[in-house]
Amino acid sequence: MSWSVMTPDATVVTAGRWVVVAPWAKAVVVRDGVHTSTEGPGRYRRRRRSTWHVLDLRPRVLVIPTQEVLTADGVQVRLSLVATAQVIDPVAWIFASASPFETIYAALQVALRNRVANLELAAIAQSRSTLLDGADDELAPTLAELGATVTGITLKDVTLPMEVREAIAETALARQRGLAELERARSEAAAMRSLANTAKLLADHPALMELRTLKAAAEGANIIIHRDGVARHD
């Protein structure tokens, strides 16, 4: 029979004859307060007075809950991020910190706050997908001391204040209205140019009006002859 305790970081085995280490894990063995060995996957006989810290080495997704941060221009935004953490040095992970995952969470929060605090709101909106690029390299030395690595740090959610969201919506609506007005003005200008070109063509070539009149008459239009002798059709 064995006795083990689950913690957020490891399974600690303190009693029993045998210890089984899964294929995705490693075990840090401590006996009488001294690190004696690090064991990979397999079944091991546990020596008396030894404690086995069995660590899961598979990548773990970390979701940093929403943080309220002030931008460089004093606007408060709410952001959350997601990252992938993995233990790469089991011995450092056990001995460097009493709560390594909490240390990683804190480091990610600080990295997020520092990035946002140095940018204005407009820059954050434009660079949302790249805001945290390079953060994993910046954090690498600190995380190496913990025996961990963090990759794929990206923003998960960005929530702007209600006033800012309304202003952005109004700006987008005004832009669409402006584009519609511009298109309408272009269409009207094109129509006026077409009419002007037609009038000039008829003025330069009066015979075209007669041909147009005959064509209209053939199609059943009503022809009206005015006193000036000019024929017009309805």
Side-chain angles (χ1 to χ4, degrees):
M1 180 177 180
S2 64
W3 174 259
S4 62
V5 177
M6 293 291 295
T7 73
D9 306 326
T11 299
V12 182
V13 182
T14 59
R17 182 175 298 180
W18 300 97
V19 178
V20 176
V21 181
W24 53 83
K26 279 190 176 182
V28 177
V29 184
V30 178
R31 187 169 187 264
D32 295 334
V34 178
H35 171 228
T36 58
S37 65
T38 301
E39 307 295 347
R43 184 171 182 262
Y44 299 90
R45 187 180 183 90
R46 193 189 70 84
R47 296 179 63 188
R48 293 180 58 190
R49 304 192 309 278
S50 67
T51 300
W52 288 58
H53 300 264
V54 183
L55 296 172
D56 190 329
L57 303 184
R58 291 173 295 183
R60 180 182 300 190
V61 175
L62 302 180
V63 178
I64 306 301
T66 301
Q67 310 289 308
E68 293 186 352
V69 187
L70 283 177
T71 64
D73 48 353
V75 180
Q76 189 177 65
V77 295
R78 303 176 72 238
L79 309 100
S80 63
L81 61 84
V82 62
T84 301
Q86 186 172 13
V87 177
I88 57 175
D89 184 345
V91 176
W93 184 264
I94 293 299
F95 289 102
S97 173
S99 51
F101 271 120
E102 292 182 10
T103 304
I104 292 176
Y105 274 105
L108 289 171
Q109 289 173 340
V110 171
L112 176 62
R113 290 179 179 274
N114 289 342
R115 292 294 181 95
V116 173
N118 290 325
L119 293 175
E120 295 185 351
L121 180 64
I124 293 174
Q126 294 174 358
S127 62
R128 171 176 176 174
S129 60
T130 59
L131 178 63
L132 292 172
D133 283 359
D136 45 357
D137 294 331
E138 294 176 10
L139 295 174
T142 300
L143 297 176
E145 296 178 0
L146 296 174
T149 182
V150 172
T151 58
I153 307 173
T154 57
L155 281 179
K156 182 174 180 286
D157 295 304
V158 178
T159 304
L160 304 177
M162 179 63 71
E163 297 81 359
V164 175
R165 296 201 300 271
E166 291 177 349
I168 292 175
E170 290 176 1
T171 301
L173 182 59
R175 185 182 298 111
Q176 293 301 318
R177 287 174 176 169
L179 292 174
E181 291 291 340
L182 179 61
E183 187 61 31
R184 183 161 44 250
R186 287 174 177 171
S187 298
E188 292 176 354
M192 293 299 294
R193 283 196 298 270
S194 178
L195 289 174
N197 291 336
T198 301
K200 184 177 184 304
L201 184 63
L202 293 176
D204 293 342
H205 304 279
L208 291 177
M209 177 59 77
E210 296 179 5
L211 291 175
R212 182 178 180 187
T213 301
L214 292 174
K215 182 175 181 298
E219 294 175 351
N222 294 324
I223 305 299
I224 301 175
I225 307 297
H226 289 261
R227 293 180 179 179
D228 56 7
V230 178
R232 296 180 175 85
H233 64 273
D234 294 336

